[in-house]
Amino acid sequence: MQIITSAENLKNFVALAREKKSTIAFVPTMGALHDGHMSLVDIARDQADVVVVSIFVNPLQFGANEDFDKYPRTLQSDAELLAARDVDVLFAPSVEDVYPNGQQVLEHAGAVGETFEGASRPGHFDGMLTVVARLFDVVKPDFAVFGAKDAQQLFLIKQMVASERTTNPQRWHALQIIEGVTVREPDGLARSSRNRYLSDEEHRAALTLSAAMRAAATTTGNASVRIQAAAQLLAAEPQVRLDYVALVDSSSFEAVDDSFSGQALLLIAAKVGNTRLIDNLSITI
Ligand code: PAF
């Protein structure tokens, strides 16, 4: 596995791969890799000749009071995991390489970017889309793989790529976005780089999130009844501070009303101790 740290060198690598007619699958990450990331890498490996994984903790997508400084940075062990997975390139650029013209927000997530995660983390999705767009421009992948746990992120990336396809079809013309299912720990907790912040007691409390999603899925009733079932369980766990629980139509990411029937996505965001966790489950109403 090559480790490439500059955008220019990565572009050269991509140009050579293209000369050989190789297809490229890309997995953007912020590092602190876990089994969830590895499942995305495996999807990428199955999909293309060349696999590029980026590790970049993107300052633009963290708010002033968030965990940018203490976000886990484990490049050495991440590189070992990726090399063992037959990844071709680990792209680990500096902030200056990603943002040669300064840290400007260049992509806007629009209305959906201001709801749910976006309401709790203003500017987060604009920063996330800005870095993903920049990485797509450098890597020029045929496939990019993202985890379903970050459902709103995935929705917005698909929306950005679809919109670019109409306004600027050449930019990412070959790109297909692939979704990787959420990987869970054996006890049900969704894998996240932030799980390492949880104490044992907090980890136990965090299981309420998956239990609440199951309650919403198995309760009979309309959207309000399902949300209420999840909210009640979450409220009963004193270590969980609920941010939101909602049911959205996954094709629009808008909240469904009580007349809705079909597949909807249950979203939960909560703080357990100082750690913010999100999760989601597709349920049938
Ligand atoms: O999901 C993440 O890890 C990040 O939001 C991403 C997509 C790598 C952009 O920084």
PDB file of all heavy atoms in Angstrom, residues 74-92:
ATOM      1  N   THR A  74      -5.235   8.085  14.682  1.00  0.00           N
ATOM      2  CA  THR A  74      -4.533   6.816  14.895  1.00  0.00           C
ATOM      3  C   THR A  74      -3.954   6.327  13.558  1.00  0.00           C
ATOM      4  O   THR A  74      -4.191   5.182  13.163  1.00  0.00           O
ATOM      5  CB  THR A  74      -5.516   5.770  15.480  1.00  0.00           C
ATOM      6  OG1 THR A  74      -6.651   5.665  14.594  1.00  0.00           O
ATOM      7  CG2 THR A  74      -6.053   6.158  16.845  1.00  0.00           C
ATOM      8  N   LEU A  75      -3.216   7.227  12.892  1.00  0.00           N
ATOM      9  CA  LEU A  75      -2.789   6.953  11.513  1.00  0.00           C
ATOM     10  C   LEU A  75      -2.000   5.659  11.364  1.00  0.00           C
ATOM     11  O   LEU A  75      -2.236   4.886  10.427  1.00  0.00           O
ATOM     12  CB  LEU A  75      -1.973   8.148  10.981  1.00  0.00           C
ATOM     13  CG  LEU A  75      -1.704   8.107   9.486  1.00  0.00           C
ATOM     14  CD1 LEU A  75      -2.993   8.161   8.681  1.00  0.00           C
ATOM     15  CD2 LEU A  75      -0.792   9.245   9.066  1.00  0.00           C
ATOM     16  N   GLN A  76      -1.083   5.409  12.321  1.00  0.00           N
ATOM     17  CA  GLN A  76      -0.222   4.227  12.202  1.00  0.00           C
ATOM     18  C   GLN A  76      -1.046   2.932  12.199  1.00  0.00           C
ATOM     19  O   GLN A  76      -0.928   2.090  11.314  1.00  0.00           O
ATOM     20  CB  GLN A  76       0.762   4.254  13.391  1.00  0.00           C
ATOM     21  CG  GLN A  76       1.742   3.113  13.428  1.00  0.00           C
ATOM     22  CD  GLN A  76       2.728   3.178  12.264  1.00  0.00           C
ATOM     23  OE1 GLN A  76       3.169   4.270  11.880  1.00  0.00           O
ATOM     24  NE2 GLN A  76       3.046   2.026  11.689  1.00  0.00           N
ATOM     25  N   SER A  77      -1.930   2.808  13.208  1.00  0.00           N
ATOM     26  CA  SER A  77      -2.707   1.554  13.271  1.00  0.00           C
ATOM     27  C   SER A  77      -3.744   1.506  12.140  1.00  0.00           C
ATOM     28  O   SER A  77      -4.034   0.428  11.605  1.00  0.00           O
ATOM     29  CB  SER A  77      -3.367   1.381  14.640  1.00  0.00           C
ATOM     30  OG  SER A  77      -4.108   2.518  14.958  1.00  0.00           O
ATOM     31  N   ASP A  78      -4.265   2.663  11.728  1.00  0.00           N
ATOM     32  CA  ASP A  78      -5.199   2.686  10.587  1.00  0.00           C
ATOM     33  C   ASP A  78      -4.495   2.172   9.334  1.00  0.00           C
ATOM     34  O   ASP A  78      -5.059   1.364   8.579  1.00  0.00           O
ATOM     35  CB  ASP A  78      -5.706   4.113  10.309  1.00  0.00           C
ATOM     36  CG  ASP A  78      -6.662   4.622  11.379  1.00  0.00           C
ATOM     37  OD1 ASP A  78      -7.115   3.814  12.212  1.00  0.00           O
ATOM     38  OD2 ASP A  78      -6.943   5.834  11.378  1.00  0.00           O
ATOM     39  N   ALA A  79      -3.257   2.634   9.125  1.00  0.00           N
ATOM     40  CA  ALA A  79      -2.503   2.225   7.924  1.00  0.00           C
ATOM     41  C   ALA A  79      -2.291   0.718   7.939  1.00  0.00           C
ATOM     42  O   ALA A  79      -2.406   0.059   6.895  1.00  0.00           O
ATOM     43  CB  ALA A  79      -1.178   2.976   7.870  1.00  0.00           C
ATOM     44  N   GLU A  80      -2.003   0.158   9.116  1.00  0.00           N
ATOM     45  CA  GLU A  80      -1.794  -1.301   9.189  1.00  0.00           C
ATOM     46  C   GLU A  80      -3.075  -2.046   8.817  1.00  0.00           C
ATOM     47  O   GLU A  80      -3.050  -3.024   8.068  1.00  0.00           O
ATOM     48  CB  GLU A  80      -1.344  -1.688  10.606  1.00  0.00           C
ATOM     49  CG  GLU A  80       0.128  -1.352  10.828  1.00  0.00           C
ATOM     50  CD  GLU A  80       0.524  -1.318  12.296  1.00  0.00           C
ATOM     51  OE1 GLU A  80      -0.207  -1.886  13.131  1.00  0.00           O
ATOM     52  OE2 GLU A  80       1.566  -0.691  12.584  1.00  0.00           O
ATOM     53  N   LEU A  81      -4.215  -1.553   9.327  1.00  0.00           N
ATOM     54  CA  LEU A  81      -5.497  -2.207   9.007  1.00  0.00           C
ATOM     55  C   LEU A  81      -5.775  -2.164   7.502  1.00  0.00           C
ATOM     56  O   LEU A  81      -6.215  -3.139   6.905  1.00  0.00           O
ATOM     57  CB  LEU A  81      -6.654  -1.501   9.729  1.00  0.00           C
ATOM     58  CG  LEU A  81      -6.775  -1.733  11.235  1.00  0.00           C
ATOM     59  CD1 LEU A  81      -7.849  -0.828  11.818  1.00  0.00           C
ATOM     60  CD2 LEU A  81      -7.111  -3.199  11.507  1.00  0.00           C
ATOM     61  N   LEU A  82      -5.499  -1.015   6.893  1.00  0.00           N
ATOM     62  CA  LEU A  82      -5.805  -0.853   5.460  1.00  0.00           C
ATOM     63  C   LEU A  82      -4.874  -1.696   4.596  1.00  0.00           C
ATOM     64  O   LEU A  82      -5.315  -2.297   3.610  1.00  0.00           O
ATOM     65  CB  LEU A  82      -5.718   0.626   5.064  1.00  0.00           C
ATOM     66  CG  LEU A  82      -6.763   1.526   5.751  1.00  0.00           C
ATOM     67  CD1 LEU A  82      -6.489   2.990   5.436  1.00  0.00           C
ATOM     68  CD2 LEU A  82      -8.181   1.149   5.326  1.00  0.00           C
ATOM     69  N   ALA A  83      -3.608  -1.748   4.986  1.00  0.00           N
ATOM     70  CA  ALA A  83      -2.645  -2.550   4.212  1.00  0.00           C
ATOM     71  C   ALA A  83      -3.073  -4.019   4.255  1.00  0.00           C
ATOM     72  O   ALA A  83      -3.014  -4.716   3.235  1.00  0.00           O
ATOM     73  CB  ALA A  83      -1.247  -2.372   4.786  1.00  0.00           C
ATOM     74  N   ALA A  84      -3.558  -4.469   5.415  1.00  0.00           N
ATOM     75  CA  ALA A  84      -3.977  -5.872   5.548  1.00  0.00           C
ATOM     76  C   ALA A  84      -5.227  -6.147   4.720  1.00  0.00           C
ATOM     77  O   ALA A  84      -5.551  -7.307   4.445  1.00  0.00           O
ATOM     78  CB  ALA A  84      -4.236  -6.190   7.013  1.00  0.00           C
ATOM     79  N   ARG A  85      -5.941  -5.101   4.334  1.00  0.00           N
ATOM     80  CA  ARG A  85      -7.170  -5.250   3.541  1.00  0.00           C
ATOM     81  C   ARG A  85      -6.911  -5.053   2.057  1.00  0.00           C
ATOM     82  O   ARG A  85      -7.834  -4.850   1.285  1.00  0.00           O
ATOM     83  CB  ARG A  85      -8.154  -4.196   4.014  1.00  0.00           C
ATOM     84  CG  ARG A  85      -9.466  -4.566   4.658  1.00  0.00           C
ATOM     85  CD  ARG A  85      -9.568  -5.848   5.370  1.00  0.00           C
ATOM     86  NE  ARG A  85     -10.953  -6.077   5.705  1.00  0.00           N
ATOM     87  CZ  ARG A  85     -11.409  -6.286   6.933  1.00  0.00           C
ATOM     88  NH1 ARG A  85     -10.587  -6.352   7.942  1.00  0.00           N
ATOM     89  NH2 ARG A  85     -12.699  -6.479   7.125  1.00  0.00           N
ATOM     90  N   ASP A  86      -5.636  -4.990   1.679  1.00  0.00           N
ATOM     91  CA  ASP A  86      -5.290  -4.913   0.267  1.00  0.00           C
ATOM     92  C   ASP A  86      -5.691  -3.578  -0.370  1.00  0.00           C
ATOM     93  O   ASP A  86      -6.032  -3.523  -1.562  1.00  0.00           O
ATOM     94  CB  ASP A  86      -5.977  -6.092  -0.459  1.00  0.00           C
ATOM     95  CG  ASP A  86      -5.220  -6.492  -1.708  1.00  0.00           C
ATOM     96  OD1 ASP A  86      -4.061  -6.079  -1.832  1.00  0.00           O
ATOM     97  OD2 ASP A  86      -5.819  -7.178  -2.565  1.00  0.00           O
ATOM     98  N   VAL A  87      -5.655  -2.535   0.424  1.00  0.00           N
ATOM     99  CA  VAL A  87      -5.935  -1.190  -0.111  1.00  0.00           C
ATOM    100  C   VAL A  87      -4.708  -0.737  -0.908  1.00  0.00           C
ATOM    101  O   VAL A  87      -3.574  -1.015  -0.519  1.00  0.00           O
ATOM    102  CB  VAL A  87      -6.246  -0.229   1.068  1.00  0.00           C
ATOM    103  CG1 VAL A  87      -6.202   1.228   0.649  1.00  0.00           C
ATOM    104  CG2 VAL A  87      -7.604  -0.588   1.661  1.00  0.00           C
ATOM    105  N   ASP A  88      -4.924  -0.045  -2.022  1.00  0.00           N
ATOM    106  CA  ASP A  88      -3.795   0.379  -2.855  1.00  0.00           C
ATOM    107  C   ASP A  88      -3.164   1.667  -2.354  1.00  0.00           C
ATOM    108  O   ASP A  88      -1.948   1.796  -2.327  1.00  0.00           O
ATOM    109  CB  ASP A  88      -4.274   0.571  -4.307  1.00  0.00           C
ATOM    110  CG  ASP A  88      -4.772  -0.746  -4.868  1.00  0.00           C
ATOM    111  OD1 ASP A  88      -3.938  -1.543  -5.304  1.00  0.00           O
ATOM    112  OD2 ASP A  88      -6.000  -0.997  -4.809  1.00  0.00           O
ATOM    113  N   VAL A  89      -4.033   2.621  -1.975  1.00  0.00           N
ATOM    114  CA  VAL A  89      -3.492   3.919  -1.550  1.00  0.00           C
ATOM    115  C   VAL A  89      -4.218   4.417  -0.312  1.00  0.00           C
ATOM    116  O   VAL A  89      -5.457   4.439  -0.268  1.00  0.00           O
ATOM    117  CB  VAL A  89      -3.667   4.985  -2.666  1.00  0.00           C
ATOM    118  CG1 VAL A  89      -3.275   6.369  -2.155  1.00  0.00           C
ATOM    119  CG2 VAL A  89      -2.834   4.641  -3.869  1.00  0.00           C
ATOM    120  N   LEU A  90      -3.420   4.818   0.664  1.00  0.00           N
ATOM    121  CA  LEU A  90      -3.962   5.599   1.774  1.00  0.00           C
ATOM    122  C   LEU A  90      -3.595   7.050   1.477  1.00  0.00           C
ATOM    123  O   LEU A  90      -2.414   7.402   1.369  1.00  0.00           O
ATOM    124  CB  LEU A  90      -3.342   5.134   3.100  1.00  0.00           C
ATOM    125  CG  LEU A  90      -3.496   6.094   4.284  1.00  0.00           C
ATOM    126  CD1 LEU A  90      -4.954   6.457   4.534  1.00  0.00           C
ATOM    127  CD2 LEU A  90      -2.902   5.480   5.546  1.00  0.00           C
ATOM    128  N   PHE A  91      -4.624   7.868   1.301  1.00  0.00           N
ATOM    129  CA  PHE A  91      -4.413   9.294   1.034  1.00  0.00           C
ATOM    130  C   PHE A  91      -4.616  10.037   2.346  1.00  0.00           C
ATOM    131  O   PHE A  91      -5.726  10.039   2.898  1.00  0.00           O
ATOM    132  CB  PHE A  91      -5.427   9.751  -0.033  1.00  0.00           C
ATOM    133  CG  PHE A  91      -5.329  11.215  -0.398  1.00  0.00           C
ATOM    134  CD1 PHE A  91      -4.098  11.834  -0.581  1.00  0.00           C
ATOM    135  CD2 PHE A  91      -6.486  11.964  -0.590  1.00  0.00           C
ATOM    136  CE1 PHE A  91      -4.011  13.180  -0.930  1.00  0.00           C
ATOM    137  CE2 PHE A  91      -6.417  13.303  -0.955  1.00  0.00           C
ATOM    138  CZ  PHE A  91      -5.175  13.901  -1.116  1.00  0.00           C
ATOM    139  N   ALA A  92      -3.538  10.617   2.859  1.00  0.00           N
ATOM    140  CA  ALA A  92      -3.604  11.295   4.165  1.00  0.00           C
ATOM    141  C   ALA A  92      -3.058  12.715   4.004  1.00  0.00           C
ATOM    142  O   ALA A  92      -1.912  13.006   4.366  1.00  0.00           O
ATOM    143  CB  ALA A  92      -2.793  10.504   5.196  1.00  0.00           C
TER     144      ALA A  92
END
